[in-house]
Amino acid sequence: PIANKVLAVFELEPQNSKTARVLSYIFMYNKLKPFYDIFYSSFQDDYRYFAGLYLIYRLLISLPYFLPSKIITHFIMELILILFLALHAIVQPYNKKQHNKIDALLLSNLVLVNGLTCANAVTVQTTNMFWKVEYAALAQIAFISIPM
């Protein structure tokens, strides 16, 4: 896929150009095409890059941990998770509807768990006990164990 995009940008055909043949050889697209097809087969053709987005998601989720305040960290993480959930719910990158629903349910479960963590952080830090932290912790354990 990368080789084809690079060749398309420069309007090169692998059969007609030496540069295109070299680029095809460097990326080994023809040899690795069966591997790419198996790896990306669960995604729609236009959204095959979503397989790599999960790595970027993990990177973006880990960035708020470098902030000094725990409450700000949890709220920024909640916003990031809601953006991921909205992106997947709108785009629906998988071929099968069932996979899209499962992915949306897992991401919404993650949003709920992090939302309870945000509420617990606010409750503990402000001493305004508007809810029981123990019950929230039990709800978190229940939500965490659902995917298992």
Side-chain angles (χ1 to χ4, degrees):
I2 296 172
N4 284 345
K5 289 183 181 180
V6 170
L7 295 175
V9 167
F10 296 108
E11 299 176 359
L12 299 172
E13 292 292 326
Q15 298 84 8
N16 301 336
S17 171
K18 184 176 180 180
T19 308
R21 277 185 257 137
V22 169
L23 284 174
S24 297
Y25 179 75
I26 289 172
F27 288 111
M28 295 187 304
Y29 178 70
N30 293 333
K31 293 179 184 176
L32 294 176
K33 187 171 182 348
F35 171 74
Y36 291 147
D37 289 342
I38 290 171
F39 185 68
Y40 297 125
S41 65
S42 64
F43 294 99
Q44 296 175 16
D45 290 335
D46 294 340
Y47 303 117
R48 289 187 174 202
Y49 60 89
F50 266 81
L53 276 181
Y54 288 107
L55 179 65
I56 295 171
Y57 288 174
R58 288 180 185 213
L59 178 70
L60 289 175
I61 288 172
S62 65
L63 287 178
Y65 283 113
F66 295 107
L67 297 173
S69 172
K70 278 191 168 185
I71 293 177
I72 294 173
T73 299
H74 291 303
F75 279 107
I76 289 176
M77 202 176 317
E78 184 75 11
L79 286 173
I80 291 171
L81 290 172
I82 289 172
L83 286 174
F84 295 160
L85 176 62
L87 178 68
H88 275 270
I90 292 169
V91 173
Q92 295 188 353
Y94 294 104
N95 285 327
K96 296 182 180 178
K97 294 277 187 196
Q98 181 181 10
H99 294 161
N100 289 320
K101 289 178 184 177
I102 290 171
D103 197 24
L105 286 173
L106 289 173
L107 285 170
S108 61
N109 187 13
L110 194 58
V111 168
L112 285 172
V113 169
N114 194 57
L116 289 171
T117 304
C118 290
N120 285 344
V122 169
T123 302
V124 167
Q125 196 163 23
T126 61
T127 66
N128 181 9
M129 298 294 181
F130 61 93
W131 84 353
K132 300 279 186 183
V133 176
E134 296 84 18
Y135 295 140
L138 289 174
Q140 279 181 313
I141 291 170
F143 283 128
I144 289 170
S145 61
I146 286 174
M148 292 182 213

